Amino acid sequence: MSAQPRIAVIGAGLGGAAAASLLAKEGFNVRVYDQSPVFSRLGAGIHVGPNVMKILRRIGVEDALNEQGSHPEYWHSRHWQTGDVLAQIPLGDYAVKEYGASYLTVHRGDFHALLIDALPDGILTFDKHLTQVEDLGHVVRMHFADGTVEEADLVIGADGVNSRIREELLGVEPPKYAGYLAHRAVFPTPDVKAGMLPFDPCVKWWSDDRHMMTYFVTSKQDELYYVTGVPVEQWNLEDRWLPSSKEEMREAFDGWHPTVQALIDSTVEVTKWSLLERDPLPLWSRGRLVLLGDACHPMKPHMAQGAAMAIEDAAMLTRCFKEVGASNYQLAFDLYEANRAERASKVQRISHDNTWLRTNEDPSWCFGYDVFNVPLVDPLPTAQKT
Ligand SMILES: Cc1cc2nc3c(=O)[nH]c(=O)nc-3n(C[C@H](O)[C@H](O)[C@H](O)COP(=O)(O)OP(=O)(O)OC[C@H]3O[C@@H](n4cnc5c(N)ncnc54)[C@H](O)[C@@H]3O)c2cc1C
């Protein structure tokens, strides 16, 4: 391996794009490949917490995202029928002061576009669907669907829930359908907003078996987003998402608060997505291959921290390469896993249970985390790893 190992990132989603940016900023020799023919802007919203904003600061897009996003003063949780406040979690200026950066909600496509634009010229190639990866011991060979073959010294699998790299490490095993669907809709903020009381900029409506989360996705607050969690027993795993309808939404949220009904009435287009999970993986890397994000720990989105974990992984992996050198990759990978597995599994567990911020609780362990300054723990000796 040369003094400056060639690092390939498979997948330019939120995790892969962040990894490539951070590695390039630190002077590593990195290339990133994505199967999409061109950049695609997923019509959805996303929460970006202070734990992520601190990483975006290093990438250089914190200010731009702050300008694009909506900055709610609070996360509200409300009772599905009465609208009573179940929790009021301070964000806004409080988040900046207590957690070191802002908490915002934004259009996911706008966020992703900022990360893609931040990549140095020439390091991202679209239309590269990885079909096979071979770790030959001294080098990794990557085969793409267009018939091309490329080599790298190290390969980061940031290729999402159906990761090809994960399959190489652990065999073919489909993710588990979690028994829930998420309806997603982005639409212009309705004129009837004033009639929707209570109306909070960031609110989760809860019943015992389902929920609806609503927030603005622009700083002007002219676009709204909702995402649900609704139990549905069967889902064909071949379909990642399907169209839904206002009628389906009305049925799923029959009897819910008038604000929820008004949101459903204002919906322009709504889709439904399967929620997928995996149990924590027994290993995050082997040889020259390593995983991050949904490839490694896909989770229900109920903590709004899935992408956050992918981006934190990217930052920690970069930190570990810097700490011990990318040529010393086995140690870097062990250090990375030792410093990420516990936190990612905790977030996976809470997301599964769907309890996050339902009642007043202190979120500082999550939002206050600073991946660049948290003290590193030593890796387990290989013999003690299961
Ligand atoms: C309904 C819903 C709401 C959510 N809300 C939030 C939220 O508010 N906050 C939050 O932090 N998270 C949220 N998440 C979770 C978040 O979307 C994921 O955790 C996050 O996108 C994972 O990022 P990733 O980079 O690991 O994977 P992905 O975003 O899935 O990216 C994987 C990339 O790899 C590429 N790829 C895949 N296979 C190949 C291949 N063989 N060859 C080449 N390229 C390949 C894909 O094209 C894609 O670009 C939500 C998820 C859902 C379903």
Side-chain angles (χ1 to χ4, degrees), residues 9-18 33-37 40 42 44-49 52 103-106 108 111-112 125-132 143-144 157-165 181-184 213 215 225 227-228 240 273-276 292-311 313:
V9 181
I10 303 298
L14 295 170
Y33 304 87
D34 200 282
Q35 64 189 2
S36 312
S40 57
L42 179 64
I46 192 161
H47 297 247
V48 186
V52 177
Y103 189 107
L104 55 85
T105 57
V106 71
R108 186 194 164 103
F111 176 28
H112 195 188
T125 316
F126 282 116
D127 221 353
K128 285 283 180 191
H129 173 71
L130 182 88
T131 52
Q132 198 197 341
H143 300 258
F144 294 97
D159 46 348
V161 65
N162 291 307
S163 167
R164 191 62 204 82
I165 307 291
L181 293 185
H183 300 90
R184 287 167 138 177
M213 176 103 223
Y215 50 87
Y225 170 68
V227 56
T228 73
R240 188 67 184 94
W273 295 67
S274 58
L275 299 187
L276 306 175
L292 67 73
D294 275 11
C296 194
H297 42 65
M299 57 186 81
K300 288 205 256 173
H302 302 336
M303 247 182 102
Q305 286 287 329
M309 290 305 108
I311 294 168
D313 286 351

